[in-house]
Amino acid sequence: MTVESTAARKPRRSSGTKRAAGAASAAKPAAAATAQTQDAVPQLVQMLTPEGDRVENADNAEFAPFVADITTEDLRGLYRDMVMTRRFDGEATALQRQGELGLWASLLGQEAAQIGSGRALNDEDYVFPTYREHGVAWCRGVDPTNLLGMFRGVNHGGWDPNTNNFHLYTIVIGSQTLHATGYAMGVAKDGADAAVIAYFGDGASSQGDVMEAFNFSAVYNSPVVFFCQNNQWAISEPTERQMRVPLYQRAQGFGFPGVRVDGNDVLACLAVTRWALDRARRGEGPTLIEAFTYRMGAHTTSDDPTKYRRDEETAAWESKDPILRLKAHLLATGGADEAYFAELEAESEAMGKRVREAVRSMPDPDTMAIFENVYADGHALVDEERAQFAAYLASFEATEEGH
Amino acid sequence: MAALKMSIAKALNESLRKALEQDPKVLIMGEDVGKLGGVFRITDGLQKDFGEERVIDTPLAESGIVGTAIGLALRGYRPVVEIQFDGFVFPAYDQIVTQLAKMHARSLGKIKMPVVIRIPYAGGIGAVEHHSESPEALFAHVPGLKVVSPSNASDAYWMLQQAILSDDPVIFFEPKRRYWDKGDVDVDAIPYPLHKARVAREGSDITLAAYGPMVKVCLEAAAAAAEEGKSVEVVDLRSMSPVDFDGLQASVEKTRRLVVVHEAPVFLGVGSEIAARITERCFYHLEAPVLRVGGFHAPYPPARLEDEYLPGLDRVLDAVDRSLAY
Ligand SMILES: Cc1ncc(C[n+]2csc(CCOP(=O)(O)OP(=O)(O)O)c2C)c(N)n1
């Protein structure tokens, strides 16, 4: 087993700068934190520049073979995934505004990280998402309308995790990383040819659970990939409030590799995730991938980012848009023409309409569903309370009929 | 007398402001409490006025937040910690139960733990999972913790300051669906004792005991019952640990009937303890068994079912009728 991380093996352009910022921080945390934000991002695996050009360099050399088989057709597929996902996400945001959903956590800006990693998975692999992984769900074939139930308030999940090997969304920050690790321990015990991937955010990396997941997976050499979408914010808190060391470097301390990838570059995300899943399946243990990306919208529809975030920052990230980047590449290489994009546009519109209609006609659950599935076996107290409540509700019907 | 009309949210904000002004050892800590002012804006503007050293945005780690608050308290500070939502207190539960609650006893009284943990709790805002729970019994069950919940703006203002002044750890449950309810706050008043129940409405036929978000429901139920000629007394318990059993007993000895109302599951809830104690204390006064109205032994349901799940006027009145029928 290689415990030396990729990150550690390669000279990192600005790791020295990082250290300096860290050292200075001892005296004056707040000021140093700001300094760190201004830094250029250290080592970043990238394959498509923001302008849409393919790049080959030392940083991506190790990962490039993992996308050597990608055809133009495949690239169009990735593009379609991202467009459909963004359209779905936009529709959900609109539905929230129209009062059809109680809340929505938008993935706007994170499409490449999700589609790139999601398309790296095999059917047998298992996904543990947080609450924003709509693009990964799309890759797993989960019906998009199923994702909306919990945001509409009709259920707490709404899909069978084992149908698509896509676990329920987890809202308690970081919890699922341990579930993924345990699941991966089971996969290894079974000798199965599969890997597990756990999604979480930069904020989540502060939770003890996540640290424990790193440690367990390292100790048991479990086939799990930790995929952190560092979208720079945990609600109002910037990454400087969560960590002092670039996230991907943390893996090294636990004894497995950490890689930082351009999270707005779908090809690089695909390559790096395939690489990590391959390691896992080969029995080489966990990997931490930090997809360096940006949350273009609010944290959720309840959040007001103007309270804490500067417009210039958001604007600077707009030019790195993951979808525009691949579109530029496809256009420049003749991989797709305007007719293709127009057709896709129409397809995504139709999907949006289908989702809208499905949500509007989504029925409220039956009241007595409160008492369903509390236990797998029966439970006398639940039975008693169910009967009492049913009798109570029936007493109204009796009065109404009596009128 | 300076009575001001303000929302519960505003009253809490003013209360924190006053505590920060009066004691340089008071600190506010939590996720998003700084620039954002908390997801409910309870700490709005405080970091701007008191700085990042006193209003501290923390990493996203509840165990870390409470654990470091304990350390700060050991060093003489008085941390007021915000947990973003009820369902997210559990990563910190270990620190609260095994450390915070026991430090005073373990040190034979040498160490004080003036830590306040504010938790927006309970349902009624149409939220997703983990944002609507009422875990107060889990804390009230733990010796060493005090547990309180205001139901109106004046109590929000005063009880929070009293909690901060207390040398014991206080779990301060804020009824989030009442944040925007307005009421009079007399900022110059002599505060009512933190752990004393208050009669919120006088009556003679039956007592309704509640706290936090359910006090309003009980007052509405009392008003509705009055139209049917029933005189309902409403007692706002305010404190779940300790419970003011003397105050409640006085009410029950007068009305001879008691219904306890809370959102939390009834089974092993705060109401169970109250029913047991009041039955012991008032056995010969009671005309009916103490009844409880509350949540079911089921996870808090998805938002579209919470209106049915949460005890409302009808369920409270139904219990009143059942009690009076004995
Ligand atoms: C244990 C816990 N504490 C607090 C919260 C409230 N909360 C929900 S999302 C969030 C920020 C998460 O940030 P990050 O992990 O970076 O993920 P992102 O939402 O940016 O994708 C917080 C504090 C929670 N869900 N769980």
Side-chain angles (χ1 to χ4, degrees), chain A residues 13 30 90 101 106-107 113 130 132 145 161 179 195 214 229 235 249 262 338 342 349 370 392:
Chain A
R13 258 175 274 129
L101 301 179
S106 165
L107 65 29
T130 156
R132 207 189 284 285
T145 55
H179 312 157
F214 287 178
Q229 290 168 82
I235 309 189
Q249 290 179 2
D262 184 337
E338 290 298 347
E349 272 312 312
I370 290 171
Y392 166 75

Side-chain angles (χ1 to χ4, degrees), chain A residues 20 73 171 226 265 284 289 337:
Chain A
E73 185 65 32
I171 291 178
F226 296 107
D265 172 351
E284 290 178 18
I289 297 173
D337 56 14

Side-chain angles (χ1 to χ4, degrees), chain B residues 101-146:
Chain B
K102 294 183 177 165
M103 210 65 92
H104 186 66
R106 285 172 64 213
S107 69
L108 302 178
K110 295 282 183 289
I111 287 174
K112 304 216 170 20
M113 274 289 127
V115 176
V116 176
I117 300 179
R118 297 180 33 242
I119 309 177
Y121 84 122
I125 62 160
V128 291
E129 230 186 341
H130 313 299
H131 291 71
S132 305
E133 292 159 18
S134 300
E136 60 272 15
L138 298 176
F139 294 90
H141 191 67
V142 178
L145 300 177
K146 290 182 170 173

Side-chain angles (χ1 to χ4, degrees), chain B residues 55-203:
Chain B
V55 180
I56 305 167
D57 269 333
T58 65
L60 207 180
E62 287 76 8
S63 179
I65 295 170
V66 173
T68 55
I70 291 171
L72 282 157
L74 290 173
R75 182 69 197 177
Y77 286 89
R78 304 185 86 85
V80 184
V81 156
E82 175 171 303
I83 297 292
Q84 206 154 69
F85 279 92
D86 35 70
F88 308 141
V89 71
F90 296 104
Y93 197 62
D94 171 40
Q95 287 287 348
I96 295 172
V97 172
T98 69
Q99 306 302 318
L100 183 65
K102 294 183 177 165
M103 210 65 92
H104 186 66
R106 285 172 64 213
S107 69
L108 302 178
K110 295 282 183 289
I111 287 174
K112 304 216 170 20
M113 274 289 127
V115 176
V116 176
I117 300 179
R118 297 180 33 242
I119 309 177
Y121 84 122
I125 62 160
V128 291
E129 230 186 341
H130 313 299
H131 291 71
S132 305
E133 292 159 18
S134 300
E136 60 272 15
L138 298 176
F139 294 90
H141 191 67
V142 178
L145 300 177
K146 290 182 170 173
V147 182
V148 302
S149 178
S151 70
N152 58 60
S154 175
D155 274 354
Y157 181 81
W158 285 113
M159 286 170 71
L160 183 51
Q161 283 175 71
Q162 291 165 306
I164 295 169
L165 285 172
S166 168
D167 282 332
D168 287 313
V170 180
I171 314 294
F172 193 90
F173 281 107
E174 300 172 2
K176 65 171 89 81
R177 71 164 141 149
R178 306 284 180 231
Y179 272 147
W180 304 277
D181 287 6
K182 288 192 171 168
D184 285 330
V185 179
D186 180 354
V187 297
D188 298 325
I190 293 165
Y192 192 76
L194 179 59
H195 300 290
K196 205 161 142 59
R198 179 167 14 213
V199 176
R201 177 188 172 113
E202 296 219 25

Side-chain angles (χ1 to χ4, degrees), chain A residues 131-132 171-173 201-204 207 231 233-235 299, chain B residues 31-32 60 62 84 88 91:
Chain A
Y131 43 77
R132 207 189 284 285
I171 291 178
V172 180
I173 296 294
D202 43 293
Q207 286 285 0
N231 65 11
W233 292 91
I235 309 189
H299 168 70
Chain B
E31 295 157 12
D32 303 293
L60 207 180
E62 287 76 8
Q84 206 154 69
F88 308 141

